[in-house]
Amino acid sequence: MKFVVAVKQVPDTAEVRIDHERGTLIRDGVPSILNPFDTYALEEALKWRDTLGGTVTVITMGPPQAEAVLTEAISMGADEGILLTDRAFAGSDTWATSHTIAEAVRKITGVDAVFCGKQAIDGDTAQTGPGIAASLDWPQVTFVGRVREMTDRSMVCERYVETGIQVLRVTLPAVITVLKDANVPRIPSLRGKMRARTFKPVAWGALDLGLTPGETGLEGSPTKVVTTATPEARAGGSIHRGTPGELASIMADLLLGREGTR
Amino acid sequence: MDYMLSEDLMAIRDICAEIAAKHIRPVRAQLDEENRFPREIMGVLAQSDLFTIYIPEAYGGTGMGSLALCVATEELSRACGGIAVSYAANALGAMPILLFGTEEQKQKFLPPLASGEKLCAFALTESEAGSDAAGIKTRAVRDGDHYVLNGTKQWITNGGEAQIYTVIAMTDPTRGARGATAFIVEEGTPGFTYGKKEDKMGIRASSTRELVFEDCRVPAENLISREGMGFMVAMKTLDNSRPGVAAQAIGIAQGALDEALVYASGRRQFGQRIDSFQGIQFMLADMATSIEAARALTYSVARMIDAGKGRFEKESAMAKVFASDVAMKVTTDAVQILGGYGYMKEYPVEKMMRDAKITQIYEGTNQIQRTVIASALIRETAAGKR
């Protein structure tokens, strides 16, 4: 089997502060990490490769330093890493990013499945995975909490949605986005770390993928950020004590906007 | 202190630290309470290639050697001494094969140990043969192309969990220590069963169990070295493994110091942090200094072993004695610094104190180690080497 995992280098949001005046993130001095949701996608691909045989190729799009997340994936057991890096990619929104990654998947050829994390913790859009599928014109299953089975023709996924669990069989090739319920990501192995030390990713730019400026980067991105704002902090709420009967009466008063009796 | 560890050794330490944080610390108290073997964690260690480090590349390992094993054992012990010994005891069990095994034995038994598919254990101790290893009663009698084993081994670490055992038995009881022979016995061999599972003071996540041999027929090809070499095999095995016990002790001590430092910085009495009191500061300083001294000694011995030059039984014994005594002292002091909280099971230091005690006892009591050290000193003096 030939699996691809699309990963993203993101700022460690636990360390990010907000510039309230500008409404932007202060990224200076914030460490970059492999998007945590992508580790579940990677583990799922590695797990099925270990079971069925084949290879796992990790792809990321970003500046040259994004190589670090590929190296991390190699230390966890990925076989290959491809870095999509080019000034022409700068400013890509999720549409352009999806299209660019999809072109890379096409260029690899013979891919059976693309695994993505549910979403990235910086943008939180959850659009890139579905975008890759749309661009490739492959079926997609989002929010996968468990991959039940896989053959060279199809896989059966459990899709965790608000109303319950949907069990879907999807023909391959396909794209899935993975939830953290799916697995416990493995810890890097010693051999993986030894390999990662000398690892150099394949680097592809816009020309390698046959992309024109209108298809990627700022020009290929229909999204325009007009403004960003921080939501106002909510009020603290109130705590009431009493018997269940008293509390029910207080809650009814509050919900109906009535003056409380106490 | 910077020990100039290679990138490989730092990678091993980082991997162990991550496993400790994600898989060991969350469950160590529960495994201790339930006296339960950490099978899942052994799987995690295997997946991270940690069982490869003491096995040569030719047999599926990464051949990193003694210092690497010390670094791994120390970092795992920092989180849990019981889980760490369940790991390190595999190296002890494999040591007779590594040191004295035939090419065929290595090809057969080492690859599944390197992958972690099988676990290993070393079986020397009996109820009446502890420090006096020459007093073992388990018999092995040649019968055609087999040896028939009868007897009971006691307090075997990884007993009941391992699939490959290296067992010392008497082939000629009239010759004392020179009548002992080492064998490889596989789980499932007819006549080989497990006896009592021990309920221990510390390292309770590890399995300690009796091995019972009743007319157990072991193929002659599983004999290690030659008949009569068993005592030599056992002693050389222990010389090589003792830095591992020292590393375990250092890790336990370091874990206790870590806890004491965090507690002392947060605990306030008389209106100030207790780490502002000189009485506590001196304790912390002595704890850290003794740990560093133990580590420096142990790493030096491990480097000596890896260099493959000369004898090291004296230095190996010194590391084990010193580090284990440090561990007992440091963990006791950590409990003292945490005071009443330290004595309670909600905090990990009482477990560390219980775990530390065994390092002064097993793989040769500290009294036996001192006789090893003294014998070497006297021998060296007599030979004019001092």
Side-chain angles (χ1 to χ4, degrees):
Chain A
M1 304 289 281
K2 206 167 181 178
F3 299 132
V4 165
V5 184
V7 301
K8 184 179 186 184
Q9 188 180 46
V10 295
D12 188 348
T13 51
E15 308 274 333
V16 169
R17 286 166 299 123
I18 293 168
D19 181 337
H20 288 285
E21 296 220 332
R22 297 182 183 177
T24 55
L25 300 177
I26 303 169
R27 295 199 180 197
D28 291 348
V30 176
S32 293
I33 56 169
L34 171 60
N35 176 39
F37 288 114
D38 298 345
T39 62
Y40 305 104
L42 175 60
E43 175 60 36
E44 203 57 32
L46 292 172
K47 207 167 75 183
W48 286 104
R49 176 206 62 187
D50 293 346
T51 310
L52 301 172
T55 59
V56 171
T57 301
V58 188
I59 296 186
T60 195
M61 180 169 148
Q65 59 266 33
E67 180 182 329
V69 295
L70 298 178
T71 306
E72 189 175 340
I74 294 289
S75 74
M76 285 175 70
D79 300 283
E80 310 288 342
I82 299 172
L83 176 64
L84 307 179
T85 191
D86 196 323
R87 283 191 181 280
F89 297 154
S92 291
D93 66 359
T94 54
W95 174 276
T97 302
S98 305
H99 185 58
T100 307
I101 293 173
E103 282 308 317
V105 173
R106 276 204 189 92
K107 187 174 162 77
I108 294 169
T109 73
V111 173
D112 293 293
V114 176
F115 295 74
C116 302
K118 172 183 82 152
Q119 64 196 52
I121 59 167
D122 55 352
D124 278 334
T125 67
Q127 289 171 352
T128 305
I132 295 169
S135 196
L136 288 165
D137 199 20
W138 288 2
Q140 58 174 290
V141 185
T142 52
F143 303 112
V144 172
R146 185 174 161 226
V147 179
R148 275 195 193 174
E149 56 178 77
M150 178 146 9
T151 67
D152 55 358
R153 289 163 182 272
S154 68
M155 65 175 137
V156 177
C157 300
E158 290 183 10
R159 185 166 184 266
Y160 291 8
V161 290
E162 281 176 14
T163 48
I165 295 174
Q166 291 179 339
V167 181
L168 300 170
R169 179 181 292 276
V170 58
T171 53
L172 299 184
V175 178
I176 67 169
T177 75
V178 180
L179 301 176
K180 71 173 179 181
D181 308 74
N183 54 54
V184 178
R186 68 192 61 188
I187 283 164
S189 69
L190 178 58
R191 286 196 175 99
K193 284 202 174 222
M194 291 163 79
R195 202 173 146 239
R197 267 213 300 280
T198 53
F199 164 78
K200 278 282 156 219
V202 175
W204 286 345
L207 279 177
D208 299 302
L209 300 178
L211 289 167
T212 59
E215 294 174 303
T216 186
L218 200 57
E219 247 185 90
S221 298
T223 309
K224 300 289 172 249
V225 179
V226 180
T227 180
T228 58
T230 312
E232 277 180 38
R234 282 192 215 169
S238 58
I239 295 170
H240 301 271
R241 290 188 176 77
T243 65
E246 289 163 352
L247 292 172
S249 144
I250 292 168
M251 177 126 23
D253 288 345
L254 288 170
L255 289 172
L256 296 170
R258 289 197 304 234
E259 275 296 308
T261 51
R262 356 139 206 240
Chain B
M1 197 181 289
D2 190 339
Y3 292 94
M4 312 295 165
L5 298 183
S6 66
E7 286 192 16
D8 285 339
L9 294 183
M10 287 193 284
I12 289 169
R13 194 176 58 191
D14 292 347
I15 290 167
C16 290
E18 193 172 346
I19 292 172
K22 290 184 178 163
H23 295 275
I24 298 180
R25 285 199 180 84
V27 300
R28 62 183 174 186
Q30 193 185 359
L31 293 176
D32 176 66
E33 178 77 25
E34 295 172 3
N35 209 6
R36 185 151 57 85
F37 187 79
R39 272 189 209 97
E40 302 80 9
I41 296 170
M42 292 298 117
V44 173
L45 298 177
Q47 192 171 47
S48 297
D49 298 329
L50 289 175
F51 290 109
T52 66
I53 64 182
Y54 51 85
I55 293 182
E57 288 180 77
Y59 310 107
T62 48
M64 298 271 179
S66 182
L67 182 56
L69 184 62
C70 285
V71 168
T73 304
E74 178 187 333
E75 199 61 41
L76 297 173
S77 301
R78 196 170 169 180
C80 178
I83 292 169
V85 73
S86 305
Y87 164 72
N90 287 282
L92 172 67
M95 199 61 76
I97 304 172
L98 287 163
L99 294 175
F100 297 96
T102 62
E103 183 58 28
E104 289 72 27
Q105 288 169 342
K106 289 178 181 174
Q107 292 285 0
K108 180 178 177 186
F109 294 107
L110 296 180
L113 294 177
S115 67
E117 179 196 333
K118 291 184 178 176
L119 299 181
C120 197
F122 178 66
L124 171 64
T125 302
E126 298 181 3
S127 59
E128 289 173 53
S131 295
D132 181 10
I136 57 176
K137 298 277 190 293
T138 296
R139 283 296 314 270
V141 178
R142 178 105 196 198
D143 178 22
D145 55 2
H146 282 73
Y147 282 84
V148 181
L149 268 63
N150 277 288
T152 301
K153 292 289 172 183
Q154 183 172 272
W155 301 335
I156 304 309
T157 306
N158 280 355
E161 299 295 339
Q163 290 74 41
I164 299 170
Y165 295 82
T166 45
V167 180
I168 311 295
M170 282 294 178
T171 39
D172 186 353
T174 62
R175 300 190 66 204
R178 292 185 179 180
T181 304
F183 297 92
I184 304 164
V185 184
E186 291 183 85
E187 186 176 61
T189 306
F192 171 30
T193 54
Y194 304 119
K196 183 186 171 204
K197 190 173 181 211
E198 303 295 343
D199 190 8
K200 306 187 292 293
M201 171 184 179
I203 57 165
R204 290 169 57 81
S206 70
S207 171
T208 308
R209 207 161 171 185
E210 277 182 349
L211 310 183
V212 181
F213 302 99
E214 290 169 309
D215 293 330
C216 172
R217 293 179 67 81
V218 177
E221 71 218 33
N222 283 14
L223 185 150
I224 299 172
S225 185
R226 297 192 310 274
E227 271 194 31
M229 286 288 285
F231 193 68
M232 167 75 96
V233 170
M235 292 306 113
K236 293 283 178 203
T237 289
L238 293 170
D239 288 344
N240 275 275
S241 69
R242 276 181 192 122
V245 180
Q248 184 197 12
I250 294 161
I252 294 170
Q254 184 66 53
L257 175 61
D258 296 343
E259 294 291 336
L261 283 167
V262 169
Y263 181 86
S265 69
R267 172 73 167 170
R268 297 181 75 84
Q269 291 286 275
F270 306 103
Q272 49 191 314
R273 289 160 47 155
I274 65 167
D275 66 2
S276 65
F277 296 119
Q278 208 173 48
I280 300 289
Q281 288 177 350
F282 283 8
M283 286 175 82
L284 291 168
D286 286 345
M287 289 157 81
T289 306
S290 59
I291 290 169
E292 211 59 75
R295 187 179 285 126
L297 174 58
T298 303
Y299 284 14
S300 298
V301 177
R303 284 190 158 123
M304 238 178 120
I305 295 174
D306 287 339
K309 286 180 190 162
R311 300 177 68 162
F312 48 79
E313 75 267 35
K314 178 185 69 186
E315 291 78 6
S316 169
M318 285 174 167
K320 194 267 184 189
V321 166
F322 189 74
S324 59
D325 286 351
V326 162
M328 201 61 239
K329 175 83 168 70
V330 166
T331 53
T332 307
D333 285 347
V335 170
Q336 189 68 25
I337 289 171
L338 270 77
Y341 291 108
Y343 199 70
M344 303 301 156
K345 294 211 169 193
E346 283 96 303
Y347 283 81
V349 289
E350 62 81 29
K351 171 184 177 294
M352 291 166 172
M353 186 174 162
R354 289 187 281 111
D355 288 353
K357 185 62 206 173
I358 192 63
T359 63
Q360 293 179 307
I361 298 172
Y362 64 14
E363 291 196 45
T365 63
N366 282 10
Q367 288 67 37
I368 285 290
Q369 303 305 320
R370 288 179 168 95
T371 66
V372 169
I373 297 164
S375 307
L377 290 170
I378 293 162
R379 191 178 58 238
E380 287 166 6
T381 306
K385 285 184 187 168
R386 295 198 70 79

